[in-house]
Amino acid sequence: MASAKPLHGTELVDCARANAKQGIETAAYQCGYGDDLNTFARELRQACEEMNLQVKELSELITDQDLILQLGTGEVVAPDTASEL
């Protein structure tokens, strides 16, 4: 659900990170900035600096853990019932 008002600080960074895979337009909208991408980028850069994060692009917020979780969508191999082990 998109924020009703523009987010700032750690809330902005968390929201942007959660939506980074969908692109900057979606992330800006979800974080309450609508289609104002310039303000979103400026506020996100400032929030990252305040948290001592060295981030130049939105995609840098996607962590290795996020990528591993995405790779974990495979086929489950298990017996049909507990008695068929």
Side-chain angles (χ1 to χ4, degrees):
M1 185 170 162
S3 177
K5 59 182 172 112
L7 300 176
H8 299 281
T10 58
E11 289 179 336
L12 174 58
V13 174
D14 288 344
C15 181
R17 180 177 172 255
N19 293 286
K21 287 185 249 177
Q22 285 77 32
I24 191 168
E25 292 88 3
T26 300
Y29 177 78
Q30 294 294 339
C31 294
Y33 288 88
D35 60 356
D36 189 357
L37 301 181
N38 291 328
T39 302
F40 169 70
R42 183 177 61 247
E43 292 292 328
L44 181 58
R45 207 171 299 118
Q46 181 180 349
C48 287
E49 286 176 9
E50 290 171 2
M51 295 175 64
N52 291 322
L53 296 174
Q54 303 297 322
V55 177
K56 294 182 182 176
E57 295 182 14
L58 181 64
S59 61
E60 292 177 11
L61 289 175
I62 301 172
T63 64
D64 291 340
Q65 183 178 9
D66 294 330
L67 296 174
I68 290 170
L69 290 174
Q70 183 179 4
L71 291 175
T73 57
E75 186 175 337
V76 176
V77 178
D80 293 331
T81 66
S83 63
E84 293 182 11
L85 299 174

